Amino acid sequence: MKRIRKRIVTAGALFLAALFLLVGRLVQIQLISTESFSKHNINLIDESVRQRTHSFMINEGRGLLLDRKGEMISAELKPAIILFPFIQDQKGTIDEVANILGKSTEEIKNALKDHEEPFVIADDEDQITQEAMEEINGLQRPGVYAQYISRTKHSPFAGALLGVTGQAPEIIKKKYPDKLEKGTITINTKIGKTGLQQAFDPFLISEGETKLIYHVDRSGSPLFGLDVKYLSPSNPFYPVSVKTTMDSTLQGIMEKAIKVSHIKKGGAVLIDIEKNELLGMVSVPYTSGLMKNQMLSQHAPGSVFKIVTAASAIEHQDLANRGTFDCNLGIDGKEAKHALGTLNFSESFAQSCNRTFGLLANEMMKEDPNMIDEYAAKLGLAGTTGWRGQVYHYPDFAQFPEEETGNIWGASSDKKVPLAVSQTAIGQKNVQVTPLAVANMVAAIARGGAVREVKAATEIEYKNGTTFLSFSDHKKENKIEPYTAKKLQMLMRDVVTNPKGTGRALNGLPYKIAGKSGTAEKGDSKTSNKWFAGYFPADQPKYAMVVVDLDYKGGANPVLSAYSDIVKQIYENDKKNK
C-alpha cells in the first residue's frame, strides 16, 4: 500500500511539475518574450499579425537609380490589376473585371481558385491599357484595384555597374540600427550588395513599403469586412532618386560590342572627357550579379603603362630627343622576340619598343628613384580614381566602393635592380592598375594634363524632383605640364596613323583615334591581358575609352575589333542626335 501511495505522490508531483512548466512556457510566450522569443529573437506579436494579414506590395520603397536623362534603370513600373481572393464571393465582380480585360470569367476564377494571397494580372502577359485601369478603378469594387507596381530590375544590362540588392540581416543591424529601432526597415529589408546599389545604399534604402493589406480570420475570410487599406510612407520626400551619369544608349552599344567580340573576361569603360563622368561600363563575365567588376579591379597594363614612362622622359632633360634605340634587343639586352630595328622615341612609342622605355626608365631612376611613382600619381594611376569625399554625414563617401587602388612596385628594393626597373617601365613585374584609372589617365591627357576624379552620379533628388545634394568636381593637385600632354597626344595619335603602329587597325574610323595598346603577359604564359586605351575624336576630344581582354589566347585581336565597333556606333548615335 505504501508503495502504491508513493507512486501516486510521485506521479502527482511529476504532473504538477509538468503543469508548472507548461504554464511557465505559456507565460513566457504570452507575456514575457512576446517580442524576442527564442534565440532567433522572433517577435510573436508581429508573426501573429502577419499570419492574419494578406497584403500586396505595390512598391518596396527603395530609391531609384536614374540614367543621365532621368530615366529609371534600377526598377520599372508596370500596369497591373490586383485581385484579392475574397472577390470570389462577390456576385458579378469577376464578370465585370473579365469583360473590361477581354478575358473569360472562368479564366479569372481558375486563376483565383488556388490563391490565398492577392493575385496580380501584370503587363508581362497582358496589354493593360490606361483606359482599362481607369475603368477597373471606376468599378469601385472592394478587392479589385488597378495600380502601377514598381519592381526591381534583375537584368544583365549594366549589371556590374548598377549592382544588385538582397537581404543581409547582419549588415542591416550593424549599419542601420536607428532605422530598425524606428521601424522604417526590418532585418529583411533589401540593401545594396554591389555596384552603385551598394555605394548609394544609405540614401536608397527603403523608408517603408507601399502596399494594400487586409486582415483575415482563421478560415481566411475578411476579419473587418471587405476593407482593404492602402499603406504608404508618410514622408513626402522619400524615396529619393540617384541621378547617375550613365548614358543608356551608349551602355547598350558597349555591351553589344563586347558580346560580339567574344571577350569572355574583361570589358570596357567610357568617360565623358569634358565633365569627367562615367558614360558606360561593361564587365564580363556577369551572371550571378555578385561577380567581381573587372573594370574596378587591378590588372597588369603592359605597354599602356609606357604612357607614364614617356611623360617622365618628356619632362626630364628631354630624354625623348636623345637619339635612336636598338629595338632588335629586348629589355634584358638579348635578342627581342619581335625585332623592330632602330627607332627613335616617337617610333618606339608607336611600335611599342620595350628596349627604349627600359633604358629611359633606368636613366631616370638613377636621377630620382621615385620618378615612376611620381608620374604614375600625376597621371592618376596611384590611389583611387572614383569620386570620393564628404557627403552629408559620411566623411569618406565613395561612388565606387569596390574600386581597388593602383600598385607600381612589389618591393622598394626593385628600384635598384635594372631588369626590375625595365619591367616596371613597360607595365609588367608588379604593376597593377584598374581599367577605370587607365581611362581616367587618357581623359586627363586629352584634356591637357589635369586629372579629376571620375563621377558616376551627379546628384540625389527628392521624390518631388528637387535636389537633395549634388556632387561637385574633384580635381587632383598633381598634373603633367600642358606641353607634356600635347606631346603625349601626338605620340598616341601616331600609334594609330603610323603604318607600323600597334593601333593602325583603328585608322580610318569616322572618329579619329589616339591611344596606346598594351599586352601584359601572365604567369601561366597561356593567356595575356590585351588592352587599348584611347580617346576620340583626336582633334576635338570628347570620349576616353578603354577596352581590355583579360583572357587573350592569341590570334585575332578582339579588343581592337570591339573598340572599332563601339567608335562607329557612337559616331552614328552622335550624328543622329545633332
Side-chain angles (χ1 to χ4, degrees):
M1 181 70 83
K2 287 183 179 180
R3 189 175 296 174
I4 293 173
R5 186 179 301 156
K6 187 176 181 180
R7 287 178 179 174
I8 292 173
V9 170
T10 301
L14 290 172
F15 175 77
L16 287 175
L19 183 61
F20 282 130
L21 285 173
L22 180 60
V23 171
R25 185 63 164 171
L26 290 172
V27 169
Q28 181 192 17
I29 293 172
Q30 296 288 337
L31 301 175
I32 300 174
S33 301
T34 55
E35 296 184 10
S36 58
F37 180 69
S38 83
K39 64 179 181 180
H40 299 293
N41 295 318
I42 297 170
N43 190 314
L44 296 175
I45 296 174
D46 286 349
E47 287 300 304
S48 175
V49 172
R50 187 183 64 79
Q51 289 179 12
R52 294 287 180 263
T53 302
H54 286 184
S55 66
F56 180 84
M57 186 177 68
I58 296 170
N59 190 321
E60 65 183 10
R62 186 169 179 82
L64 299 171
L65 293 174
L66 311 177
D67 69 8
R68 68 194 297 109
K69 296 176 183 176
E71 299 294 328
M72 288 191 300
I73 48 176
S74 62
E76 55 189 347
L77 289 176
K78 292 182 177 181
I81 310 301
I82 303 148
L83 306 176
F84 283 74
F86 62 73
I87 68 169
Q88 297 173 86
D89 300 326
Q90 297 176 25
K91 190 174 181 180
T93 297
I94 294 179
D95 293 326
E96 290 175 313
V97 172
N99 183 54
I100 292 171
L101 295 179
K103 294 179 175 290
S104 70
T105 300
E106 287 305 312
E107 186 179 352
I108 295 179
K109 282 184 177 179
N110 290 335
L112 283 169
K113 186 170 59 177
D114 299 323
H115 280 79
E116 294 182 358
E117 298 289 333
F119 175 75
V120 61
I121 302 173
D123 202 40
D124 284 339
E125 316 93 21
D126 306 272
Q127 296 300 314
I128 301 174
T129 64
Q130 180 66 33
E131 291 76 14
M133 293 179 70
E134 291 175 0
E135 199 171 345
I136 288 285
N137 286 332
L139 294 174
Q140 296 187 344
R141 295 286 187 267
V144 179
Y145 306 91
Q147 288 276 347
Y148 280 95
I149 59 175
S150 174
R151 292 294 181 262
T152 301
K153 283 185 180 178
H154 293 290
S155 72
F157 181 76
L161 173 60
L162 301 182
V164 297
T165 60
Q167 294 180 352
E170 293 307 313
I171 296 177
I172 284 275
K173 292 175 187 176
K174 184 178 178 180
K175 286 184 68 176
Y176 305 110
D178 54 333
K179 291 180 180 291
L180 272 175
E181 188 176 342
K182 289 178 184 176
T184 56
I185 64 172
T186 71
I187 59 170
N188 294 318
T189 296
K190 290 180 181 179
I191 65 168
K193 290 192 167 184
T194 61
L196 298 184
Q197 291 283 13
Q198 177 190 0
F200 292 94
D201 192 63
F203 304 100
L204 296 174
I205 191 167
S206 175
E207 293 289 329
E209 299 173 344
T210 298
K211 54 189 175 182
L212 297 168
I213 67 168
Y214 80 107
H215 303 285
V216 297
D217 59 20
R218 185 176 298 178
S219 66
S221 301
L223 191 59
F224 305 116
L226 303 180
D227 187 18
V228 176
K229 290 184 171 60
Y230 178 89
L231 297 182
S232 65
S234 57
N235 194 328
F237 294 102
Y238 290 87
V240 300
S241 296
V242 175
K243 192 170 185 179
T244 74
T245 61
M246 191 187 87
D247 186 306
S248 294
T249 301
L250 302 187
Q251 176 71 25
I253 287 172
M254 294 168 66
E255 292 193 6
K256 183 178 179 181
I258 293 298
K259 184 177 181 179
V260 169
S261 72
H262 300 297
I263 292 175
K264 301 299 182 186
K265 183 180 180 183
V269 177
L270 183 68
I271 292 175
D272 178 315
I273 291 174
E274 181 185 356
K275 298 179 179 179
N276 220 56
E277 295 175 353
L278 183 73
L279 295 172
M281 178 181 284
V282 181
S283 175
V284 292
Y286 181 82
T287 51
S288 67
L290 295 176
M291 299 189 75
K292 201 172 187 180
N293 188 337
Q294 301 295 346
M295 301 302 100
L296 301 177
S297 305
Q298 291 182 345
H299 309 288
S303 293
V304 167
F305 193 77
K306 288 174 184 172
I307 294 173
V308 174
T309 310
S312 183
I314 292 166
E315 288 195 3
H316 289 81
Q317 301 175 7
D318 212 17
L319 289 172
N321 294 327
R322 68 166 223 176
T324 57
F325 303 85
D326 185 358
C327 292
N328 288 323
L329 302 178
I331 56 174
D332 55 1
K334 299 177 182 178
E335 186 178 342
K337 186 185 294 184
H338 302 290
L340 300 174
T342 301
L343 305 176
N344 62 27
F345 178 73
S346 296
E347 292 168 334
S348 295
F349 190 89
Q351 297 182 48
S352 209
C353 172
N354 291 337
R355 177 72 170 170
T356 301
F357 293 92
L359 289 172
L360 289 174
N362 273 283
E363 286 189 37
M364 291 185 290
M365 292 288 281
K366 288 175 185 176
E367 177 188 333
D368 180 357
N370 295 315
M371 193 78 73
I372 292 179
D373 305 68
E374 178 186 342
Y375 279 84
K378 282 186 175 185
L379 287 165
L381 296 184
T384 56
T385 296
W387 196 99
R388 185 182 291 267
Q390 171 80 37
V391 174
Y392 204 42
H393 51 261
Y394 302 99
D396 191 30
F397 183 86
Q399 291 194 1
F400 297 96
E402 299 160 293
E403 182 189 5
E404 297 177 356
T405 57
N407 180 73
I408 309 301
W409 302 96
S412 57
S413 58
D414 284 346
K415 296 180 181 182
K416 297 178 181 179
V417 181
L419 181 58
V421 169
S422 294
Q423 290 172 320
T424 301
I426 64 170
Q428 293 281 176
K429 190 64 175 171
N430 297 109
V431 182
Q432 296 279 305
V433 294
T434 68
L436 178 66
V438 173
N440 195 41
M441 172 181 70
V442 170
I445 293 167
R447 225 177 6 244
V451 178
R452 301 182 202 164
E453 292 179 351
V454 180
K455 282 194 286 189
T458 53
E459 61 186 17
I460 299 177
E461 300 175 345
Y462 284 122
K463 185 178 180 179
N464 62 7
T466 59
T467 301
F468 170 36
L469 59 87
S470 299
F471 299 96
S472 58
D473 292 342
H474 284 181
K475 296 180 180 179
K476 301 274 190 178
E477 291 184 8
N478 292 334
K479 64 178 182 179
I480 56 175
E481 296 297 325
Y483 166 77
T484 307
K486 193 69 177 175
K487 180 65 176 176
L488 287 172
Q489 290 172 9
M490 294 169 62
L491 291 172
M492 292 168 72
R493 178 63 180 146
D494 200 37
V495 167
V496 178
T497 59
N498 189 310
K500 295 183 180 180
T502 56
R504 60 187 180 276
L506 299 176
N507 200 17
L509 293 177
Y511 274 146
K512 295 177 181 177
I513 313 296
K516 184 72 187 80
S517 62
T519 302
E521 296 178 355
K522 292 170 146 181
D524 59 14
S525 73
K526 294 179 181 178
T527 62
S528 57
N529 297 340
K530 201 76 171 174
W531 297 69
F532 192 86
Y535 64 89
F536 54 95
D539 46 358
Q540 291 182 309
K542 186 176 180 181
Y543 305 100
M545 184 167 71
V546 168
V547 176
V548 58
D549 182 356
L550 301 170
D551 195 27
Y552 178 66
K553 297 180 175 66
N557 189 338
V559 168
L560 294 180
S561 172
Y563 209 100
S564 175
D565 192 9
I566 294 170
V567 171
K568 288 175 183 176
Q569 292 187 62
I570 289 178
Y571 173 81
E572 291 299 326
N573 183 68
D574 288 351
K575 188 169 68 171
K576 183 176 66 177
N577 293 321
K578 274 187 178 180

